[in-house]
Amino acid sequence: MIALTAAEVARATGGTLHGIDEATVVTGPVVTDSRQVEPGGLFVALAGEHVDGHDFAPTAVQAGAAAVLAARALTAADGTLLPTVVVPDVEVALGELARDVLVRLRDAAAAPGGSGLRVVGVTGSVGKTTTKDLLAQLCGAAGPTVAPVRSFNNEIGLPLTVLRADESTRFLVLEMGASGPGHLTYLTRIAPPDVAVVLVVGHAHLGGFGGGIDDVARAKSEIVAGLLPDGVAVLNADDPRVVAMASLAPGEVVSFGQSQGAEVRAERVVVDRAGRARFTLVVGDGTPERREADVALRLVGEHHVHNALAAAAAALTAGLTLEEVAAGLSAADALSPHRMHVVDRPDGVTVVDDSYNANPDSMRAALKALAVIAGRDRRSVAVLGEMLELGEGAREAHDAIGRLVVRLNIGLTVVVGEGARAIRDGANHEGSWGDEVVLVDDVETAAAFLDEELRAGDVVLVKSSYGAGLWRLGDRLTATEQVSAS
């Protein structure tokens, strides 16, 4: 974080100072984990379901924290006051601090010799983290860039990401998640984007939106409404619900996709046996300014062409050249764990670990990638867990995935957990028979089954929502990793 006095932190957050001089300067990072405190930093004492950060404030101060952001005055074991900024709501105060810091950074960036800071926000039901990771690598090659670690995309993770930026930051890439209406309005109030990217409107977190997919679309459109007055909306031309958001844009709209008329398009898409796509990146199709460049993705799955186009459109809007974008996409790796991470094990088994999250759209994409990688000469094995937060349509959504498994001719499907049972049922209804689809109780049972069942040449996909816990199985299956394909 940029250096701020305790008084400035208090003004930004509406807090009061206890046990700390107003001239004390906070110079280190802002963290919510006392184990990550660095000298001069700010420890944010959040109260969670199982752990209360206030209990760890003495440890944080002992580790060098210059101040604690807390809901009450705090004391050390000897009764002395800890250096604390006391606020009515710690989570809200964290957001207000990030908002204040970003205003200061934008003012500094606009001054002569400033960094020219550009804030890029990314949302969508599918592909946010991968697109964010691609953008981080594209922008990082062009200038100092700050982007979220993992999926820091909520009311806590986004402010923490903003607070990592400083006066040198040229690009601030933010992933913005929404599991209900108003969430993106809150996040864009903290960090109004210069560029807002909307990937797709799908069925992720449908249960939190109080209705159907049109309610999801309205919630996702909040990022466009939250743009700066001169901000640019980067919209998916292949999704009519996203295209309709153009009416909310305060200014320019840039479209991407494979539809005719998209301003940033992919042509001549080819997918190799490893599941990696090559395509021609086209900008300005149908105009005298048409340009193109070849891209060869290192990411696995044809669906990543869409993510790459979104990242390309945003990067071009943020000031990168077509040549920089094409080269950057071709060099980009998968950064976040459990996201189409491909491992070739010494025993001849290939594992595709995509267990970080799942919804019907991403599940379909991952299964199609599995079918491509396995081809006709290797056995495809899908280990599938529950897709969470789908609301009333959850059973039908799981049933549809089971039917797709049969249509894709997946060799073996292991369904993990009672919540995913409808995948097994759907496969049986579609025409599966014998031992092609197996239902097991939990991750441990699935692991034991796979230990006995897997053989050289198999390609194994692990896919579920994070809360279903299959990421533990992904870790186990890739623990013998020697050669990674991603």
Side-chain angles (χ1 to χ4, degrees):
M1 185 178 75
I2 60 173
L4 294 175
T5 66
E8 289 173 322
V9 173
R11 279 196 294 271
T13 60
T16 57
L17 300 180
H18 294 258
I20 184 172
D21 188 276
E22 65 178 19
T24 299
V25 180
V26 178
T27 58
V30 180
V31 299
T32 58
D33 187 333
S34 61
R35 295 168 295 183
Q36 298 173 349
V37 167
E38 295 181 17
L42 177 67
F43 175 62
V44 181
L46 291 168
E49 290 183 18
H50 307 292
V51 177
D52 188 344
H54 293 80
D55 297 336
F56 297 89
T59 302
V61 173
Q62 189 174 23
V68 178
L69 192 66
R72 60 181 182 271
L74 300 167
T75 59
D78 62 2
T80 60
L81 282 172
L82 294 177
T84 307
V85 181
V86 177
V87 295
D89 186 307
V90 177
E91 183 181 296
V92 170
L94 175 64
E96 289 301 299
L97 180 60
R99 189 168 76 93
D100 181 81
V101 166
L102 184 54
V103 169
R104 292 169 183 264
L105 288 176
R106 278 184 155 137
D107 288 343
S115 66
L117 174 66
R118 301 278 279 172
V119 178
V120 183
V122 181
T123 197
S125 300
V126 182
K128 291 187 298 295
T129 299
T130 298
T131 302
K132 171 267 296 182
D133 287 344
L134 289 172
L135 263 171
Q137 293 173 83
L138 290 175
C139 295
T145 298
V146 170
V149 295
R150 300 187 298 278
S151 292
F152 272 33
N153 62 17
N154 62 11
E155 62 278 2
I156 297 170
L158 181 135
L160 289 174
T161 303
V162 172
L163 290 168
R164 288 171 44 216
D166 60 24
E167 293 90 348
S168 70
T169 303
R170 181 178 171 192
F171 301 103
L172 177 56
V173 179
L174 299 172
E175 181 179 342
M176 295 186 172
S179 54
H183 291 184
L184 292 181
T185 296
Y186 178 79
L187 296 180
T188 57
R189 181 182 177 277
I190 295 170
D194 296 284
V195 180
V197 183
V198 185
L199 298 169
V200 66
V201 173
H203 293 82
H205 309 295
L206 193 59
F209 290 94
I213 195 167
D214 289 332
D215 297 286
V216 178
R218 278 189 288 273
K220 298 297 184 186
S221 71
E222 292 171 12
I223 193 174
V224 179
L227 275 162
L228 289 177
D230 58 349
V232 180
V234 176
L235 304 179
N236 177 12
D238 302 333
D239 186 331
R241 291 183 176 87
V242 177
V243 171
M245 297 178 192
S247 63
L248 300 175
E252 184 182 358
V253 174
V254 174
S255 61
F256 67 91
Q258 293 179 264
S259 301
Q260 290 294 328
E263 293 165 78
V264 179
R265 295 183 58 228
E267 294 183 352
R268 299 183 285 278
V269 178
V270 177
V271 181
D272 65 20
R273 272 298 306 273
R276 296 179 175 88
R278 303 176 64 93
F279 62 93
T280 301
L281 177 61
V282 177
V283 178
D285 188 32
T287 72
E289 292 77 30
R290 174 187 165 104
R291 296 170 293 149
E292 61 181 56
D294 291 331
V295 173
L297 294 179
R298 301 174 65 172
L299 307 183
V300 174
E302 185 177 1
H303 57 289
H304 285 311
V305 172
H306 175 264
N307 300 328
L309 290 173
L316 290 165
T317 300
L320 276 69
T321 68
L322 178 62
E323 293 71 26
E324 289 173 328
V325 168
L329 290 175
S330 298
D333 290 312
L335 300 183
S336 298
H338 302 294
R339 294 181 184 274
M340 294 302 288
H341 178 54
V342 181
V343 172
D344 293 320
R345 301 194 327 191
D347 62 358
V349 173
T350 297
V351 180
V352 184
D353 179 7
D354 197 35
S355 57
Y356 188 85
N357 211 346
N359 57 57
D361 297 313
S362 67
M363 188 74 86
R364 285 190 291 268
L367 286 167
K368 290 175 183 177
L370 170 64
V372 169
I373 297 170
R376 296 184 177 182
D377 54 343
R378 304 180 69 182
R379 183 174 65 155
S380 53
V381 180
V383 187
L384 308 178
E386 186 176 2
M387 300 177 288
L388 300 172
E389 301 180 48
L390 295 183
E392 295 180 357
R395 193 188 188 290
E396 291 76 10
H398 286 85
D399 182 279
I401 294 302
R403 295 174 185 273
L404 178 62
V405 162
V406 176
R407 294 168 191 164
L408 292 174
N409 199 30
I410 301 302
L412 171 65
T413 300
V414 181
V415 180
V416 183
E418 187 62 29
R421 175 186 286 271
I423 296 177
R424 195 276 307 268
D425 296 343
N428 288 341
H429 292 151
E430 187 66 21
S432 177
W433 63 88
D435 297 326
E436 295 172 344
V437 181
V438 178
L439 176 65
V440 299
D441 291 336
D442 50 37
V443 169
E444 290 72 23
T445 308
F449 176 81
L450 292 169
D451 285 344
E452 296 293 328
E453 178 67 27
L454 294 180
R455 56 180 183 261
D458 287 349
V459 183
V460 186
L461 168 71
V462 184
K463 181 75 173 170
S464 75
S465 289
Y466 189 83
L470 262 66
W471 58 268
R472 297 195 301 272
L473 180 60
D475 284 343
R476 174 168 175 166
L477 290 174
T478 59
T480 56
E481 175 180 354
Q482 289 189 0
V483 180
S484 171
S486 66

